[in-house]
Amino acid sequence: ACKKGMLDACGRLGQLTLDSDVAGGVKILDDACTKGSSWSCVRLAESYYYGWPTAYDQVAGLGYYRKACKLGNGTACYMLGSISSSDEADRKMVEAACKAGDSSVCSLLSYMATDPAKKQKYDEMACEMGAAWTCDSLARAFEDPSTYAPPTDKKKRKKYLDYLELACDGGMSYSCVKIAMVDLPPVPRETWDAATQKYLPPPNTPT
C-alpha cells in the first residue's frame, strides 16, 4: 500500500519499522511527512523531542511539529503552542489553527493569555467550536461567587443562559441542571459545598 502512494500506510510502516530499525523507520516516516502525512511528522516529532527510540534532538522535534502543524494537525499545533509560544512565527501558526476550528488549541491559547480580553476571545472561540467545559466556565463567570446565583441583569442573564445551553448541548449535565434551576431561589454557597463534600472520600482515603 505504501508503494502505491498511500501515505497513511507509509506512516504505519514507518512506525512498525522504527521499533526494530530506527534509521530505516526514520527514513520512511520522513519521506511520508515530506509528501504530506501529518501523522508521520508528529510521530517523528515525538520521537526526537522525547528521545525515544531516536536520539534526543529538540530542534529536530520542533521542526517536525512545525511541519505537522502546517499540514493542519491539531495535536502538533497544540504541542507547538505549548513548547514554542515565544516564537512569533510559531505563535501565528498556532493562532491560525485555532481560527481554523481546533477548540483544544483555542483553549491552550486562552490558558496562556495574560490579557483578559484575549483570554475571553479564545474561550468564546473554543466554546463556539464545541468545547462544552469552556462554555460552562464562561457561564460561571457571571455567577455570584458567594451564592452561585445567576445574574439578574437581563443582558448578562441571557448571555449566561446561552453559555449554559451550549455546555448542556455539549454533554455537561451540570449545566443542564443549572438551566433547570435558574429561576429557583439561590442556594447558599455553604449548602453547595456541604452537598459536594458528601460525595467526596474522607481525607487520606486511598483511591
Side-chain angles (χ1 to χ4, degrees):
C2 179
K3 290 180 180 179
K4 293 180 180 179
M6 298 174 66
L7 295 181
D8 286 345
C10 293
R12 299 298 176 186
L13 176 62
Q15 168 68 59
L16 292 171
T17 306
L18 198 63
D19 294 334
S20 57
D21 176 7
V22 174
V26 167
K27 186 177 184 304
I28 295 170
L29 287 168
D30 181 69
D31 183 59
C33 170
T34 301
K35 290 178 179 177
S37 170
S38 68
W39 186 90
S40 298
C41 300
V42 170
R43 184 63 191 93
L44 283 173
E46 292 171 342
S47 180
Y48 280 115
Y49 193 79
Y50 295 107
W52 188 88
T54 63
Y56 173 73
D57 187 337
Q58 188 180 55
V59 173
L62 274 171
Y64 282 113
Y65 275 130
R66 288 186 183 109
K67 287 183 179 181
C69 184
K70 284 181 181 177
L71 290 169
N73 187 289
T75 298
C77 295
Y78 186 95
M79 282 300 298
L80 194 61
S82 300
I83 61 184
S84 187
S85 60
S86 60
D87 185 285
E88 185 64 23
D90 288 346
R91 186 171 183 85
K92 285 182 178 178
M93 203 185 322
V94 173
E95 288 176 347
C98 167
K99 290 176 182 176
D102 193 308
S103 63
S104 65
V105 175
C106 295
S107 295
L108 172 68
L109 289 171
S110 167
Y111 175 76
M112 296 171 64
T114 54
D115 181 346
K118 285 188 176 181
K119 180 177 178 62
Q120 177 79 10
K121 180 187 77 171
Y122 290 129
D123 276 341
E124 289 177 353
M125 291 172 73
C127 175
E128 289 171 4
M129 293 169 193
W133 66 272
T134 304
C135 301
D136 183 74
S137 177
L138 286 166
R140 279 188 279 114
F142 287 97
E143 295 173 350
D144 184 314
S146 62
T147 64
Y148 301 131
T152 54
D153 178 83
K154 286 185 178 181
K155 288 184 178 179
K156 290 182 178 180
R157 192 179 183 86
K158 182 182 184 307
K159 196 72 174 172
Y160 172 73
L161 286 170
D162 287 344
Y163 285 135
L164 283 181
E165 286 177 7
L166 287 168
C168 176
D169 290 343
M172 297 286 290
S173 58
Y174 187 55
S175 298
C176 304
V177 172
K178 285 184 177 180
I179 294 172
M181 296 177 64
V182 73
D183 290 321
L184 297 178
V187 178
R189 179 166 185 162
E190 294 75 15
T191 304
W192 281 103
D193 292 343
T196 302
Q197 289 299 320
K198 275 184 63 178
Y199 298 97
L200 293 176
N204 303 317
T205 300
T207 56

